[in-house]
Amino acid sequence: MTPAPGQPRPAKPSVPSRRTVLQAGSLVLLLGAQQIARGATIVAVRVWPAPEYSRVTIESDGQLTTKQLFVTTPPRLAVDIEGIDLSPELRELVAKVKADDPNIAGIRVGQNTPGVVRLVIDLKQAAMPQVFTLTPVAAYGHRLVLDLYPAQPVDPLEALIAERLRDAPAAPAVATAPAGTRAGAAPHATASPSAETDPLGELMTQRATRALPPEAPPAVVTATAPAPAQPTTPPARSTGSSRASTQQTDRIIIVALDPGHGGEDPGAIGPAGTREKDVVLRVAHLLRDRINATTVGGNPMRAYLTRDGDYFVPLGTRVEKARRVQADLFVSIHADAFTTPAARGASVFALSQGGASSTAARWLANKENQADLVGGLNVQSKDQHVQRALLDMSTTAQINDSLKLGTVLLGEIGNVGKLHKPRVEQAGFAVLKAPDIPSVLVETAFISNPEEEARLRSSAYQVQLADALMRGITRYFAKNPPLARSRSV
């Protein structure tokens, strides 16, 4: 169209030059590449110290790519995280290391090169680190996990012995001496110390003896002198009366307590924010104190905790620990949860080699067996294959004894609170599959029920629960004395 006379000719639209187009395109490509390389954002960092291992977790909204190098002298782990810049969340790691962390001396973090953050973990001792990633599960996004295991692993049996000697330095001479050597213990003289020795007790006695003054050794020699008197007496494997079995069993009775969940795995969370892992650990500590102060038929009892702090322990490792200390019982402590707040009451479960005893029992077993996914199990670890094989070795005798234990525990818990079911239920709980230890899982209450959550938070009710469990354990041993077996250390 030709403009009217006197009107300005309209300006032609500007056409970008070829150079401008190329520059703009390059800028888009560069920004896109950078966005891809640095797409992950750190959302949280956590440090979980424990004697067995210390864990560092870095949670992000996308998968992280890493390269790591372990230096032995001085021991330290260097990890390069690619595609991210140093953020305030990563800087928080420095302050999260506690002075009493058994494994980590400190953490240093910095921008090594553009797009690469270097994390250096200085260690207190030689270590065997494991670095792996976890895909999103439950409330967690992607996780980069750095596990720092001591090069010399913590032995559960050694830990149990050290704890006993620390808490009761005078006790081993009484609790673990051969039959007939204690003051007032003459009725036990008919047992056969040589045939049914307890290496666990003997090892504790030896360690205590090393700490005694020079004049102490003659007393030890005198204590073991009666052994040759009855060299031909067979091992005490009798199924006779409770009294006879008790007399033939002169050793420490060990009860493995297993507080559920821990560390990355909080367990069930109540409406008011109460975490299952915290409640069950407090109940386990109370029960431990009661067990350690109790004797059965003159035999001292000792509790062993599969976790004694807020850290993750795989299900198979919990079973392994109980077997290592040769526990006489295994009691896993939990707090139940359901999709509706109306569910309430305590339950006790034993293992089932076949199908579950109810749909609810099957559902709960499946939920509890997923704890390794939330807690963060390194599925590439060689140890896990050994633990998985262990889970197929349970016996009918173990299940029968577990049902006996569960029945008395359920009866005592019913005296202090409401029961969800009046009988012991059964399902395929992975943590109950020790082939040679009577094992039960106790759901103390429904933490998803507001009223029961409030009770679980109460110190008074926690004491009642611990007392009830202690009475049940004592009643079980009164009817089913532990075998007078020899422990292999």
Side-chain angles (χ1 to χ4, degrees):
M1 178 183 292
T2 304
Q7 290 185 348
R9 182 180 293 273
K12 293 181 179 180
S14 60
V15 178
S17 66
R18 183 172 181 272
R19 174 175 292 183
T20 303
V21 172
L22 291 175
Q23 288 177 342
S26 299
L27 179 61
V28 171
L29 290 175
L30 287 173
L31 288 176
Q34 185 180 39
Q35 183 65 28
I36 294 171
R38 304 186 186 182
T41 300
I42 305 302
V43 298
V45 294
R46 296 176 288 273
V47 178
W48 306 100
E52 299 163 31
Y53 77 106
S54 293
R55 166 171 288 190
V56 176
T57 303
I58 300 174
E59 186 179 355
S60 60
D61 61 1
Q63 186 171 358
L64 297 175
T65 302
T66 63
K67 295 179 181 178
Q68 59 269 357
L69 172 67
F70 181 67
V71 181
T72 57
T73 308
R76 60 194 185 276
L77 174 67
V79 179
D80 284 346
I81 307 175
E82 301 176 351
I84 65 172
D85 288 328
L86 187 59
S87 65
E89 290 78 12
L90 285 172
R91 293 182 187 273
E92 290 178 7
L93 276 174
V94 177
K96 286 184 176 290
V97 177
K98 298 180 181 179
D100 60 352
D101 190 308
N103 303 294
I104 301 177
I107 295 179
R108 294 172 282 150
V109 60
Q111 193 76 45
N112 186 42
T113 60
V116 177
V117 171
R118 174 162 293 180
L119 188 71
V120 179
I121 303 177
D122 296 305
L123 302 171
K124 293 182 177 179
Q125 56 182 319
M128 297 180 64
Q130 296 182 11
V131 180
F132 57 98
T133 58
L134 298 169
T135 55
V137 63
Y140 293 123
H142 292 269
R143 285 177 288 173
L144 170 64
V145 180
L146 317 174
D147 284 348
L148 293 316
Y149 288 88
Q152 184 65 36
V154 176
D155 185 349
L157 187 58
E158 292 281 346
L160 180 64
I161 294 170
E163 177 186 299
R164 177 165 175 78
L165 294 180
R166 180 183 66 247
D167 294 348
V174 177
T176 64
T181 65
R182 297 176 296 175
H188 293 274
T190 57
S192 174
S194 59
E196 287 300 323
T197 58
D198 180 4
L200 171 61
E202 289 178 354
L203 182 54
M204 286 189 290
T205 302
Q206 293 169 5
R207 294 192 174 198
T209 301
R210 285 199 286 267
L212 293 175
E215 61 272 14
V220 177
V221 174
T222 303
T224 58
Q230 297 176 345
T232 59
T233 304
R237 302 289 180 181
S238 172
T239 58
S241 68
S242 298
R243 181 183 178 190
S245 299
T246 302
Q247 289 180 348
Q248 294 166 347
T249 309
D250 187 37
R251 63 169 176 84
I252 294 174
I253 299 172
I254 298 174
V255 179
L257 302 179
D258 176 51
H261 309 281
E264 292 280 294
D265 177 17
I269 300 178
T274 307
R275 300 182 302 184
E276 177 184 0
K277 67 174 183 178
D278 299 329
V279 171
V280 298
L281 183 60
R282 287 196 289 269
V283 173
H285 282 157
L286 291 170
L287 182 54
R288 175 182 62 184
D289 295 341
R290 284 151 178 76
I291 290 174
N292 290 350
T294 302
T295 61
V296 174
N299 301 302
M301 298 181 69
R302 194 72 188 176
Y304 172 76
L305 267 63
T306 59
R307 75 171 177 96
D308 198 8
D310 189 10
Y311 54 94
F312 167 68
V313 181
L315 298 175
T317 301
R318 295 169 187 261
V319 178
E320 269 194 348
K321 286 182 171 185
R323 298 193 76 205
R324 173 57 182 149
V325 301
Q326 299 184 42
D328 297 285
L329 294 181
F330 181 93
V331 180
S332 191
I333 306 173
H334 292 255
D336 210 346
F338 198 59
T339 54
T340 64
R344 60 186 301 161
S347 305
V348 178
F349 296 86
L351 183 66
S352 171
Q353 285 184 316
S357 57
S358 68
T359 302
R362 183 185 302 108
W363 176 85
L364 180 62
N366 291 336
K367 182 170 72 74
E368 295 294 355
N369 291 346
Q370 292 176 358
D372 281 351
L373 298 178
V374 181
L377 176 69
N378 183 6
V379 295
Q380 297 179 348
S381 173
K382 295 180 181 179
D383 293 340
Q384 299 310 318
H385 299 293
V386 177
Q387 293 171 358
R388 295 296 180 188
L390 168 68
L391 302 186
D392 296 323
M393 297 169 55
S394 298
T395 64
T396 301
Q398 181 259 20
I399 293 176
N400 290 338
D401 287 338
S402 300
L403 290 171
K404 294 177 184 177
L405 172 62
T407 299
V408 292
L409 289 177
L410 196 66
E412 292 295 340
I413 295 172
N415 293 331
V416 300
K418 180 179 175 62
L419 295 179
H420 185 64
K421 289 289 182 68
R423 66 183 185 279
V424 179
E425 294 207 74
Q426 293 179 261
F429 291 88
V431 80
L432 301 183
K433 293 187 176 181
D436 46 6
I437 306 172
S439 305
V440 295
L441 185 146
V442 178
E443 294 284 0
T444 53
F446 274 87
I447 202 170
S448 53
N449 180 294
E451 181 182 341
E452 295 202 336
E453 178 191 18
R455 297 189 74 187
L456 287 172
R457 293 169 65 101
S458 164
S459 298
Y461 188 63
Q462 292 171 9
V463 168
Q464 288 181 328
L465 278 174
D467 287 340
L469 293 172
M470 185 69 247
R471 289 193 299 270
I473 291 171
T474 304
R475 281 181 54 196
Y476 171 81
F477 279 126
K479 293 184 178 180
N480 306 275
L483 292 176
R485 65 185 180 189
S486 175
R487 299 181 187 273
S488 59
V489 178

